């Protein structure tokens, strides 16, 4: 997708281009991330198992907040500015250099996640933090449950938190296997388990 810089910037375009850009930026061919492109290309249950409308809504919300567009009265102007400052649109330059996917297990680290170097010499490595992602999903579901109780003035959430997390973990594993299948073995897969001794303060 062509966009003229520096006159126009994707992180702060003129208001009359919002709708055109939002439609283009939620298209599968205009994703800088292969993951989001695959979500849009293969939303069916036996592939990435994520409704296309959900991915489009997520991307639209990202750009709406990035551009400072009011969120249907869900965010105050101050809250919108705070959220807007936390977002940053980065355009990566040059060819992809990923040479491997490393799945990192940190179950023995007691909520600590070691930060590994993603780039070495002229190539990079993609890391998938399995246990850290599970913890993040659990915390996200807990927040969603608390928020739903607050909004609806109820004492118990309208969904089973453990089941919700379990389904999210299953879909994540399915998406990983699907991505590896689409990659057709071009990217080698390694697994690393970090012992608790490496995670001490």
């Amino acid at each position: 997708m062509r966009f003229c810089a520096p006159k126009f910037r994707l992180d702060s375009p003129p208001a009359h281009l919002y709708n055109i850009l939002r439609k283009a930026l939620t298209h599968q061919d205009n994703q800088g991330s292969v993951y989001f492109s695959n979500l849009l290309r293969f939303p069916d249950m036996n592939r990435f198992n994520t409704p296309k409308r959900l991915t489009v809504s997520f991307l639209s919300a990202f750009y709406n907040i990035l551009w400072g567009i009011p969120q249907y009265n869900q965010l105050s102007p101050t809250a919108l500015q705070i959220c807007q400052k936390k977002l940053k649109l980065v355009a990566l330059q040059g060819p992809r250099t990923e040479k491997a996917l490393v799945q990192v297990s940190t179950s023995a680290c007691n909520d600590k996640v070691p930060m590994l170097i993603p780039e070495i010499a002229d190539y990079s490595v993609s890391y998938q933090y399995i246990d850290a992602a599970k913890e993040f999903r659990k915390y996200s579901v807990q927040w969603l449950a608390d928020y739903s109780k607050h909004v609806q003035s109820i004492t118990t959430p309208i969904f089973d938190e453990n089941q919700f997390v379990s389904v999210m973990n299953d879909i994540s594993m399915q998406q990983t296997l699907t991505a590896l299948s689409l990659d057709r073995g071009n990217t080698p897969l390694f697994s690393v388990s970090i012992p608790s001794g490496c995670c001490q303060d």
Side-chain angles (χ1 to χ4, degrees), residues 3-4 7-9 12-23 67 69:
F3 200 71
C4 299
K7 180 180 179 181
F8 292 144
R9 292 172 52 96
S12 58
H16 70 275
L17 293 179
Y18 285 164
N19 291 335
I20 296 174
L21 285 174
R22 190 185 299 107
K23 183 177 180 179
W67 297 336
I69 300 175

Side-chain angles (χ1 to χ4, degrees), residues 23-192:
K23 183 177 180 179
L25 291 167
T26 55
H27 190 275
Q28 61 195 32
D29 292 334
N30 293 326
Q31 302 305 312
S33 165
V34 175
Y35 174 69
F36 278 105
S37 179
N38 283 335
L39 282 178
L40 294 167
R41 290 179 189 276
F42 311 107
D44 44 299
M45 292 188 63
N46 62 339
R47 303 299 284 275
F48 279 82
N49 196 12
T50 302
K52 186 173 182 178
R53 66 181 183 278
L54 179 61
T55 305
V56 171
S57 294
F58 174 85
L59 292 171
S60 296
F62 172 85
Y63 286 107
N64 285 343
I65 294 176
L66 181 70
W67 297 336
I69 300 175
Q71 302 297 298
Y72 307 106
N73 297 321
Q74 295 299 311
L75 290 176
S76 67
T78 301
L80 178 58
Q81 289 181 358
I82 293 175
C83 292
Q84 187 180 16
K85 290 179 180 179
K86 292 180 178 294
L87 298 184
K88 185 177 182 180
L89 184 65
V90 178
L92 301 180
Q93 303 295 325
R96 293 180 55 195
T97 60
E98 297 94 334
K99 298 299 182 182
L101 170 62
V102 180
Q103 293 182 327
V104 183
S105 174
T106 57
S107 59
C109 291
N110 299 321
D111 298 330
K112 296 182 177 65
V113 180
M115 301 305 295
L116 305 179
I117 299 174
E119 190 169 357
I120 303 173
D122 295 329
Y123 61 88
S124 60
V125 177
S126 296
Y127 291 108
Q128 185 178 28
Y129 292 92
I130 305 296
D131 299 308
K134 289 180 179 179
E135 284 297 309
F136 179 77
R137 295 184 195 111
K138 183 175 70 175
Y139 293 141
S140 298
V141 169
Q142 289 175 349
W143 177 88
L144 188 61
D146 291 340
Y147 184 75
S148 68
K149 289 187 292 184
H150 171 72
V151 170
Q152 300 189 39
S153 299
I154 54 180
T155 57
T156 57
I158 59 178
F159 54 85
D160 185 301
E161 294 180 49
N162 292 329
Q163 183 179 7
F164 200 147
V165 173
S166 178
V167 170
M168 292 173 70
N169 289 334
D170 289 343
I171 291 177
S172 174
M173 180 59 66
Q174 178 183 344
Q175 290 181 351
T176 297
L177 295 175
T178 300
L180 290 172
S181 175
L182 292 171
D183 185 64
R184 298 182 179 180
N186 291 321
T187 305
L189 173 64
F190 300 93
S191 297
V192 176

